[in-house]
């Protein structure tokens, strides 16, 4: 229902500030890869609600373009965090940068990775969203830059996680080794043991192949 944007009471100090925004996905604001279609269903939105949300985001983008002169809806990352990326770009002097790149630069991971033969990464759930630029892919790309193989370990994996193979992860494994409830899987002692057991078997395989 947004029709116009009034900037009369905008803080003048905002024009004097620059912002670096950490962003770990490359989704546009709206469309089939936009905020509503990609993230809405995760939060419980039905197909009908997703369509309504996407229509609203498109309308918002058109108002921003008309009133602020910024055509930014399709910039990579505009759809991050439900459209916050778009908000930062539209209302602040900001630049979206890879969140994982910022972190990797700060901790100087490349200095460690450059001499590695094998790099292990992972996250709670590995899926197609991981392939859109989340932390494991940032680590994988850095590893590939130096010719290392990359293995990912996750609490669970989904069928569309195969996209991660296209983005630099050579193989990935779920640490859940038997049927269990989410509560059981989330218990620290269970997760720790599952991770240890899975890691041992991964390195047993590597050792066997090398021998």
């Amino acid at each position: 229902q947004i029709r116009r944007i009034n900037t009369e009471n905008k803080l003048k100090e905002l024009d004097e500030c620059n912002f670096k925004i950490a962003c770990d996905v490359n989704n546009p604001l709206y469309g089939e890869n936009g905020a509503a279609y990609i993230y809405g269903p995760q939060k419980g939105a039905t197909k009908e609600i997703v369509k309504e949300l996407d229509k609203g985001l498109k309308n918002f983008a058109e108002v921003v373009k008309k009133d602020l002169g910024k055509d930014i809806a399709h910039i990579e990352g505009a759809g991050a965090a439900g459209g916050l990326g778009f908000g930062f770009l539209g209302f602040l002097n900001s630049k979206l940068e890879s969140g994982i790149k910022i972190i990797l630069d700060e901790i100087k991971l490349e200095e460690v990775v450059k001499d590695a033969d094998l790099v292990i990464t992972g996250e709670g759930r590995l899926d197609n969203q991981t392939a859109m630029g989340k932390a494991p892919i940032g680590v994988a790309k850095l590893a590939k830059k130096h010719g290392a193989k990359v293995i990912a370990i996750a609490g669970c994996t989904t069928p569309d996680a195969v996209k991660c193979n296209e983005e630099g992860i050579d193989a990935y494994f779920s640490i859940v080794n038997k049927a269990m409830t989410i509560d059981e899987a989330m218990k620290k002692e269970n997760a720790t043991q599952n991770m240890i057991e899975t890691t041992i078997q991964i390195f047993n395989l590597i050792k066997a192949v090398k021998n």
Side-chain angles (χ1 to χ4, degrees), residues 22 36 55 68 89 113 116 143 147 158 166 171 181 211:
K55 184 178 179 182
L68 302 183
L89 289 171
V113 168
T158 61
E166 300 172 10
T181 66
N211 290 339

Side-chain angles (χ1 to χ4, degrees), residues 71-134:
D71 187 7
I72 54 176
H74 296 291
I75 291 178
E76 290 189 355
L84 272 179
F86 177 83
F88 285 127
L89 289 171
F91 301 105
L92 300 174
N93 292 325
S94 64
K95 180 180 180 181
L96 300 183
E97 295 190 9
S98 166
I100 184 59
K101 182 180 183 300
I102 292 174
I103 293 172
L104 296 182
D105 288 346
E106 287 294 324
I107 65 175
K108 296 179 172 53
L109 184 65
E110 186 166 5
E111 291 300 310
V112 180
V113 168
K114 66 181 182 180
D115 295 321
D117 297 315
L118 180 66
V119 173
I120 309 293
T121 185
E123 66 176 346
R125 173 171 135 154
L126 215 67
D127 54 27
N128 69 324
Q129 287 186 35
T130 306
M132 294 178 181
K134 288 191 174 182

